[in-house]
Every structure is written in structure tokens, then in C-alpha cells.
């Protein structure tokens, strides 16, 4: 089950599954980090590595920086773990500054990027990031300025590879035109519930295309340009794996039952079915899992031994969309 695939254009031998670290650090509050938060991080990191997950996804905002801090404490206490990891983090989202009356905003300015990376490295107790992603598109992005920041980070050895998150093909194309460094990742919300990435293809020449928010052509562009697709929200907030569905739509309830049926037939967890559905797509998607439940992490890893048939895959897809294909 120790499946590795090179992240496109980088050669990084990454696990098919990525562990998303947003749940570390004690939650989205300003409370101090406690010893149990560090113990939890140790247990999760070791569980992930033991099960073949070697890629860890961070963002500087997760738990107001505490997620990176507790992860860094793990590496401080067990520094040899670093050589077995691929560490990725994201930047660019700034919290509101209530004292100055400034709202939440995005910031891809050169100075902010460089300062943010220094802070990330300090919290994580590492000398370099394997991958740095821009978190959400900054509408004031100066692509030349970003390119300069990336070049400086690469030259200084602080970042090995670069990518983006939540960006369309056009945004990536603009950014790449001013970056000497190849963009190797695009992380997007994709799951059995959030199926806009599939619907853009199905709805070509269909009226239903007007209601789809997933940027047309992005999936294909990333495949053509060898940009690794990563899926955040890959477990769909647990709606198919045990979450209360009393107020859910019929399509969600029916899909949850179908997931359960396939899981029982294949003797794997429901998480394994949901993730294997994503991974069957030929784009070689890397799902990001963020559960802090150790048993559920193991359940997710079972996805690596599941292969859905084409009919099973389409059964789940059509069930999720709630209506027949056009």
C-alpha cells in the first residue's frame, strides 16, 4: 500500500494520499498550545508515515499558525523524520486587522511572500519547503512580482518547487508566463460531493453549464501542462462516511447508501470508496485527507487497495449528481 507517484515535473516521490494538517494545533482559536496537542501531532505524523503517507500539507493560517508550530515541535523532537517527508505549505491569506479596520484580504506582494516563507520555516523548524503554494487568488497579483519572489526563494534554497491553489487555467497561465520556476501543483476542491470539475466536461453545449462554478478547461489544462492536481475537501466533510444526514438531499442519502454497499462488498472503509472514486480519474489526483482520527486515517489508506469498476464509478457519479447524465 506504499504507493508513490512523482509529482509532475518535480520528481518528488509523493504518496498518493496527502495528510492535511489543518486539524492540528488545538483548533481555530488563540489559546496556547498544550502538551496534548503536540502528542496528538506525534501520533498522527507517525501513523501517516507508517501507512505510507509521506506528504504533509500545511498553510500558514491553519489554527492561526499553531498547526505548523506543533508540527515543527514534532520535527524538533524527532528531526530524522524530516528526511522521509515532503512538506508543503500555502500562503497569501491575511486575517482582518480590527485595530486598523482592515478586512480579511489576499496578498501576493513580493515582500509578503518572502516574509511569510521565513515565518513558515521558523514555525515548522525546517530549512526549506519542498512545495510552496499560493493559497487563493489575489486580485491585485502582479505576476512579475510573484515571479521575482519565487526566483529568490528558489535561489536561496528556501523552496524547492512551487504551485497554486484554487486557481483557474487562465490565472495559472498568466503567473507561469512571469515565473522561471515551473508551477507543479494546483490544489482544488474536488470530491464525490463537489463534482463541478466533472460537470464542466459533461455540460458542454448544455444549459446546465451556466450554474457550474468550476473554471472551464482547468482540469484539462493541468493535465496538458503536467500540473499535479490535489483535491482538498476530498472526504466531502464526512457526508458519505457517517455524518448525520437527516436534513440532507435525497441524492446525498442515496449516494451514502451506495458508498456503504460498495464498502461492505469490498470489505474496506467507506472512506476508501470515496477516495478511490477520486483516484480512478486519469488525472492521477492526490486527495488531501484532514481527519485527526487515527482509525479513520487507516481507513483512508485502504483506498490504495481498491479499484472501482467503470460501472461502479459511474453509479457513484450519477447518484451524486442526482439526475441522469444528459
Amino acid at each position: 500500500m506504499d504507493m508513490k507517484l512523482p509529482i509532475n515535473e518535480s520528481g518528488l516521490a509523493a504518496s498518493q494520499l496527502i495528510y492535511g494538517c489543518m486539524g492540528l494545533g488545538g483548533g481555530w482559536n488563540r489559546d496556547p498550545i498544550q502538551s496534548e496537542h503536540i502528542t496528538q501531532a506525534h501520533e498522527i505524523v507517525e501513523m501517516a508515515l507508517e501507512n505510507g503517507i509521506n506528504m504533509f500539507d500545511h498553510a500558514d493560517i491553519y489554527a492561526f499558525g499553531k498547526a505548523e508550530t506543533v508540527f515543527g515541535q514534532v520535527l524538533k523532537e524527532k528531526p530524522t523524520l524530516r528526511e522521509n517527508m515532503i512538506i508543503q505549505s500555502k500562503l497569501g491569506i491575511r486575517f482582518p486587522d480590527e485595530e486598523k479596520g482592515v478586512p480579511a484580504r489576499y496578498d501576493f506582494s513580493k515582500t509578503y511572500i518572502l516574509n511569510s516563507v521565513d515565518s513558515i520555516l521558523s514555525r515548522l523548524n525546517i530549512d526549506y519547503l519542498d512545495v510552496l503554494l499560493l493559497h487563493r487568488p489575489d486580485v491585485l497579483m502582479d505576476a512579475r512580482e510573484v515571479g521575482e519572489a519565487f526566483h529568490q526563494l528558489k535561489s536561496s534554497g528556501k523552496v524547492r518547487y512551487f504551485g497554486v491553489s484554487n486557481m483557474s487555467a487562465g490565472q495559472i497561465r498568466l503567473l507561469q508566463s512571469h515565473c522561471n520556476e515551473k508551477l507543479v501543483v494546483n490544489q482544488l476542491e474536488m470530491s464525490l460531493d463537489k463534482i463541478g470539475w466533472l460537470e464542466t466536461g459533461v455540460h458542454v453545449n448544455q444549459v446546465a453549464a451556466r450554474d457550474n462554478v468550476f473554471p472551464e478547461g482547468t482540469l484539462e489544462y493541468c493535465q496538458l501542462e503536467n500540473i499535479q492536481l490535489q483535491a482538498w475537501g476530498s472526504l466531502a466533510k464526512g457526508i458519505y462516511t457517517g455524518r448525520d444526514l437527516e436534513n440532507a438531499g435525497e441524492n446525498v442519502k442515496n449516494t451514502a447508501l451506495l458508498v456503504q454497499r460498495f464498502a461492505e462488498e469490498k470489505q474496506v472503509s467507506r472512506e476508501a470508496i470515496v477516495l478511490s472514486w477520486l483516484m480512478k480519474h486519469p488525472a492521477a489526483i492526490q486527495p488531501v485527507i484532514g481527519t485527526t482520527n487515527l482509525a479513520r486515517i487507516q481507513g483512508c489508506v485502504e483506498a490504495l487497495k481498491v479499484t472501482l469498476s467503470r460501472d461502479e464509478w459511474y453509479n457513484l457519479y450519477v447518484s451524486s449528481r442526482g439526475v441522469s447524465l444528459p
Side-chain angles (χ1 to χ4, degrees), residues 5-218:
L5 72 161
I7 293 181
N8 294 335
E9 301 295 320
S10 74
L12 291 171
S15 49
Q16 179 85 54
L17 297 178
I18 300 172
Y19 185 76
C21 298
M22 187 171 68
L24 302 182
W28 290 82
N29 54 59
R30 302 289 186 178
D31 297 341
I33 292 172
Q34 304 294 329
S35 59
E36 58 262 31
H37 301 146
I38 298 172
T39 298
Q40 178 194 51
H42 271 289
E43 292 173 346
I44 288 173
V45 167
E46 290 170 13
M47 171 68 74
L49 291 171
E50 288 171 5
N51 283 276
I53 300 174
N54 72 339
M55 189 164 190
F56 297 85
D57 176 70
H58 289 271
D60 57 358
I61 64 167
Y62 288 168
F64 298 102
K66 293 187 297 177
E68 288 181 334
T69 299
V70 297
F71 197 93
Q73 186 62 33
V74 170
L75 293 179
K76 183 177 181 180
E77 295 174 10
K78 293 189 175 182
T80 57
L81 293 179
R82 176 64 179 104
E83 63 192 45
N84 298 315
M85 294 177 169
I86 296 172
I87 300 178
Q88 169 178 284
S89 194
K90 303 180 286 292
L91 59 77
I93 298 177
R94 301 188 68 170
F95 290 121
D97 188 331
E98 296 180 0
E99 291 185 1
K100 297 181 179 179
V102 180
R105 68 278 194 204
Y106 307 133
D107 194 340
F108 290 172
S109 62
K110 180 179 178 180
T111 299
Y112 188 76
I113 290 174
L114 296 177
N115 289 341
S116 294
V117 168
D118 285 341
S119 296
I120 290 169
L121 295 177
S122 177
R123 284 190 294 271
L124 288 171
N125 276 310
I126 57 177
D127 297 322
Y128 67 92
L129 278 172
D130 293 291
V131 185
L132 174 69
L133 306 184
L134 300 177
H135 205 158
R136 284 192 177 274
D138 175 11
V139 293
L140 294 180
M141 177 183 75
D142 182 333
R144 291 181 179 84
E145 199 172 336
V146 175
E148 290 172 1
F150 282 4
H151 179 70
Q152 187 169 327
L153 290 168
K154 178 77 170 185
S155 299
S156 65
K158 293 180 180 180
V159 179
R160 297 178 68 191
Y161 300 100
F162 301 86
V164 298
S165 182
N166 304 300
M167 282 200 185
S168 69
Q171 290 167 322
I172 299 171
R173 190 180 293 113
L174 171 63
L175 185 58
Q176 186 66 80
S177 70
H178 295 288
C179 290
N180 293 329
E181 312 305 327
K182 177 72 171 67
L183 301 175
V184 300
V185 168
N186 189 14
Q187 188 179 111
L188 298 156
E189 185 175 18
M190 297 184 286
S191 71
L192 182 54
D193 179 52
K194 300 295 184 180
I195 54 175
W197 56 287
L198 297 171
E199 299 286 87
T200 53
V202 169
H203 286 160
V204 171
N205 204 34
Q206 300 284 323
V207 173
R210 295 181 304 188
D211 298 324
N212 191 355
V213 299
F214 193 88
E216 184 177 355
T218 297

